[in-house]
Amino acid sequence: MNKIRNNKKTIISWAFYDWANSAYNLVITSTIFPAYYTAITSDNNNSTVDYVDFLGFKFVNSSLYSYSMAFAFLIIALISPILSSIADTKGNKKSFMKFFTYLGGLACCGLVFFDQNSLTVGIVFFILATLGFWGSLVFYNAYLPEIATIDQQDIVSAKGFTYGYIGSVILQLICFAFVFFPSFFGLKNEGEASRLSFFMVGVWWIGFAQIPFLFLPRSKQETKNISGNIFTDGFFKLKKVWDHAKHMKYLKRFLFAFFFYSMGVQTVMLVATLFGEQELNLGTEKLIATILILQLVAIPGALGMSYLAKNKFGNVNVLIGVVIIWIGACVGGYFVETEIQFYILAGMIGLVMGGIQSLSKSTYSKFLPQNNTEFSSYFSFYDVTEKVALVFGMFSFGFIGELFGMRNSVVVLASFFIIGLVFLFLLKRAEPKTLKAVA
């Protein structure tokens, strides 16, 4: 394993998976799909609430979007312990990465059939694409401590996010050309251009994923046989991880902090476009351009936070600063009224959104026992924590929004960040001497 760690070709191939799958994160969850979904489920009357019928029930359209994602995250949280248990036993993380990649990529291709008359089909493919994206990350993240030593994990994690932003922006620009100039490409309208963009995301994702599939190493656990019950072993391993974490105050407090601020981070990123569309009535072109700028700002943000964490302040101090910025962004979101204010808020979020994700992952990786071989179980715990947080975050956003309006949902997100901040301060008090560089 030491020969694998810090190998340049291995690290680049690992980062290319971010290049491959981040197109989903940008096009499907952040820009074109939310705008398209809002357009085909709206009556274009700003004085009314837009409702949709799904499986015999009536929902506010934005709430159905939130509930669909919450459902997908719940499924991932339930099945990832089982999958990571098998991956640890057989050493086949790459096989599971492939399965979820093909599931997500093909589901994105299936969204080409999503229109006003096929809401159920669209939501099902949307859920499957979400399952594919987040399911693959369980095993992608588990590779980090296998391919990088503890002193390199911040920069390697940031490199993955950087590759992801660059790759996703390239495809996004191609999709923009289709959406903004559909007739030039022989397309009927923006709707057809949007559906073509969803298809291209699937092709891009599956195509570039072949690079990590070709070069990422096979784990040394490949020769082991499965013992015990594969449907329960994963949950026993998660309990084992938690039992271990309970005796490590810094790890336990980090996980609590991560749980609460993740409720806010991912939810904000997933609903930002819906917020701009419904609360500020921004057009599709303005929203998409805003998200593109947001992605470009995120690249120096992620690299800058990695630098500050490694060379200046340590991971925990940087995370504290970033969470404070997120709290300010949520408060600002409640009061934002103009287009300019929205752009300023988007730029602020862009600077910190990539950094908090990459830094959280590398901080957690540093806290793990470095001689451990079952990294999938530890990162399964990390991913389950994040997915359960997302279930609460997306559900609460949709539920509060349905009852009291979307702006009040933003206030709830701010409260999640505040709780996470408290645990980060408690984490500093539990800082072990051997991890001074982290905190």
Side-chain angles (χ1 to χ4, degrees):
M1 185 174 292
N2 290 333
K3 292 181 180 179
I4 295 173
R5 284 182 172 178
N6 302 336
N7 179 281
K8 185 177 180 180
K9 185 172 76 171
T10 302
I11 288 171
I12 290 175
S13 66
W14 179 81
F16 254 103
Y17 189 73
D18 242 316
W19 175 292
N21 75 350
S22 290
Y24 159 87
N25 213 17
L26 182 55
V27 176
I28 304 298
T29 66
S30 299
T31 56
I32 297 178
F33 182 83
Y36 176 79
Y37 172 85
T38 300
I40 68 172
T41 58
S42 172
D43 60 9
N44 297 315
N45 185 342
N46 294 331
S47 63
T48 62
V49 177
D50 295 316
Y51 288 96
V52 291
D53 292 315
F54 181 71
L55 299 179
F57 296 93
K58 191 174 184 180
F59 299 93
V60 174
N61 62 344
S62 59
S63 294
L64 176 61
Y65 182 90
S66 298
Y67 294 153
S68 300
M69 298 205 79
F71 176 75
F73 297 140
L74 179 61
I75 296 299
I76 288 295
L78 292 174
I79 68 174
S80 61
I82 300 170
L83 300 178
S84 63
S85 173
I86 300 173
D88 271 341
T89 305
K90 296 190 68 176
N92 56 352
K93 286 190 289 292
K94 193 189 296 187
S95 297
F96 285 107
M97 277 182 65
K98 288 181 179 181
F99 171 79
F100 282 105
T101 294
Y102 295 135
L103 173 66
L106 292 174
C108 288
C109 292
L111 286 171
V112 74
F113 301 108
F114 180 28
D115 59 22
Q116 294 94 329
N117 301 316
S118 57
L119 177 65
T120 301
V121 171
I123 293 296
V124 169
F125 278 127
F126 177 56
I127 290 173
L128 291 176
T130 304
L131 287 171
F133 177 77
W134 292 98
S136 67
L137 289 183
V138 173
F139 306 98
Y140 170 70
N141 289 340
Y143 266 109
L144 179 59
E146 287 192 18
I147 65 171
T149 54
I150 191 169
D151 61 310
Q152 295 296 312
Q153 287 169 10
D154 285 339
I155 191 64
V156 171
S157 180
K159 179 174 287 189
F161 277 94
T162 301
Y163 272 52
Y165 288 128
I166 295 173
S168 60
V169 165
I170 291 173
L171 181 61
Q172 181 74 92
L173 289 173
I174 297 171
C175 294
F176 280 171
F178 292 138
V179 172
F180 292 156
F181 310 103
S183 60
F184 180 82
F185 297 96
L187 301 170
K188 293 179 181 179
N189 48 44
E190 287 186 10
E192 187 173 319
S194 297
R195 293 191 293 274
L196 176 60
S197 297
F198 308 151
F199 181 83
M200 290 185 64
V201 167
V203 174
W204 178 282
W205 185 357
I206 292 173
F208 280 106
Q210 302 310 309
I211 297 174
F213 292 163
L214 182 61
F215 293 107
L216 280 178
R218 292 165 63 93
S219 175
K220 289 185 178 181
Q221 288 89 347
E222 288 276 343
T223 58
K224 287 188 178 181
N225 296 316
I226 295 179
S227 60
N229 189 327
I230 60 172
F231 297 104
T232 58
D233 281 355
F235 295 99
F236 283 124
K237 287 186 177 182
L238 288 190
K239 183 179 183 301
K240 182 179 177 182
V241 170
W242 177 242
D243 288 340
H244 181 253
K246 286 193 295 187
H247 298 291
M248 302 169 66
K249 286 185 179 180
Y250 56 93
L251 184 58
K252 181 173 66 174
R253 291 178 183 181
F254 171 78
L255 285 167
F256 275 118
F258 175 70
F259 175 77
F260 283 103
Y261 69 65
S262 287
M263 285 190 200
V265 170
Q266 295 292 348
T267 304
V268 169
M269 292 168 61
L270 294 171
V271 301
T273 303
L274 289 177
F275 181 87
E277 181 83 31
Q278 297 196 3
E279 292 295 320
L280 301 177
N281 299 315
L282 298 179
T284 300
E285 292 83 2
K286 291 180 180 179
L287 285 171
I288 292 176
T290 299
I291 298 295
L292 178 60
I293 294 171
L294 199 151
Q295 299 295 314
L296 294 174
V297 172
I299 296 173
L303 293 174
M305 286 176 205
S306 173
Y307 172 80
L308 292 174
K310 183 176 181 180
N311 300 296
K312 298 292 183 180
F313 305 111
N315 293 38
V316 177
N317 286 326
V318 174
L319 284 172
I320 287 172
V322 171
V323 170
I324 290 173
I325 294 173
W326 274 101
I327 294 171
C330 288
V331 173
Y334 181 81
F335 293 104
V336 66
E337 295 288 348
T338 68
E339 185 177 323
I340 295 298
Q341 290 173 343
F342 181 76
Y343 292 150
I344 293 173
L345 191 64
M348 194 166 128
I349 291 173
L351 280 173
V352 295
M353 72 177 188
I356 196 169
Q357 293 178 90
S358 63
L359 200 58
S360 295
K361 181 165 60 179
S362 60
T363 302
Y364 179 73
S365 182
K366 287 182 177 182
F367 283 153
L368 300 182
Q370 294 300 301
N371 60 350
N372 180 69
T373 58
E374 295 187 349
F375 288 119
S376 290
S377 291
Y378 280 90
F379 272 94
S380 175
F381 194 94
Y382 178 88
D383 284 297
V384 168
T385 301
E386 184 179 44
K387 300 311 170 291
V388 174
L390 279 165
V391 171
F392 280 102
M394 292 299 295
F395 181 83
S396 62
F397 189 90
F399 185 71
I400 298 299
E402 197 157 14
L403 293 179
F404 305 109
M406 199 176 287
R407 288 182 186 268
N408 289 298
S409 296
V410 175
V411 175
V412 174
L413 296 182
S415 68
F416 296 152
F417 281 112
I418 292 171
I419 297 172
L421 182 64
V422 170
F423 278 106
L424 284 176
F425 277 114
L426 291 174
L427 171 59
K428 282 186 63 64
R429 295 179 60 183
E431 170 190 358
K433 294 181 179 179
T434 55
L435 289 171
K436 285 284 185 179
V438 180

